[in-house]
Amino acid sequence: MSSTATDHEAIAVRAGRELEEATAQEVLRWAADTFGARFCVTSSMEDAVVAHLASSVFPGVDVVFLDTGYHFPETLGTRDAVAATMPVNVITLTPLRTVAEQDAEHGPALHDRDPDLCCSLRKVEPLNRGLAGYDAWATGLRRDESPTRANTPVVSWDPKRRKVKIAPIARWTQEDVDAYVAAHGVLLNPLLWEGYTSIGCSPLSCTRKPGEGEDARAGRWSGSGKTECGIHL
Ligand code: SF4
């Protein structure tokens, strides 16, 4: 008998309790054993840390990337390098409309006027569509990234999408990430060397370098009051 969303919700709640202290590899091993090919990793291609961790326990794992049409060339290059060099299956999701089609429908630079709508069209809808074939998805969310992410569970139920949501490195610090990258030679987006600490779409209203003393995500939709694209809300 196939398992249902209700089963998955119960699995998520129990795993959220039992895996809180588990290592990232243990969490990902559990996800691979529980969901198999119906488990994927999503990546913004800021780095390949979670993709690397997942591929170490589940070679060939699907790594889902949202190509909004507004990415920095360095981000697309990181995506291509991950696909070429790692034992993962990179899947690129695209919005229903090109940037030109969106401009024709909503006017140019929607990101400057209504970033919530722009993110909804170019990130949230494609992800929801892309996750339809999975029961569980992993993200690189970390509690130390920003106050809004401080309570990120390691495993939880994503009620909007009715999927199990996994944040295997939720408890990691930036130092943990740096140590893992150094130990395993993990691919990084080259913009990290230019002072960016959180890399989203390229319009300045969406991604800027943070100032001295600001948290890692302070440069995202800076000044707009928006802190998340909607994927993690
Ligand atoms: S981050 Fe900016 S450009 Fe990208 S989808 Fe959101 S509002 Fe649009």
Side-chain angles (χ1 to χ4, degrees), residues 68-70 99 102-103 106-119 121-122 201-207 221-222 224 226:
T68 63
Y70 278 115
V99 169
Q102 177 171 296
D103 287 354
H106 296 280
L110 183 62
H111 45 76
D112 289 348
R113 295 175 289 108
D114 191 344
D116 283 344
L117 177 58
C118 188
C119 280
L121 295 169
R122 312 203 73 74
C201 293
S202 60
L204 192 57
S205 57
C206 302
T207 305
W221 307 284
S222 179
S224 73
K226 178 177 169 69

Side-chain angles (χ1 to χ4, degrees), residues 141-153 165 215-218 220-221 225-229 232-233:
L141 293 180
R142 297 201 328 266
R143 293 173 187 169
D144 76 340
E145 290 178 294
S146 67
T148 57
R149 295 187 172 184
N151 297 316
T152 299
K165 186 173 178 182
D215 74 53
R217 288 182 57 81
R220 301 297 294 279
W221 307 284
K226 178 177 169 69
T227 57
E228 296 283 350
C229 63
H232 301 300
L233 294 175

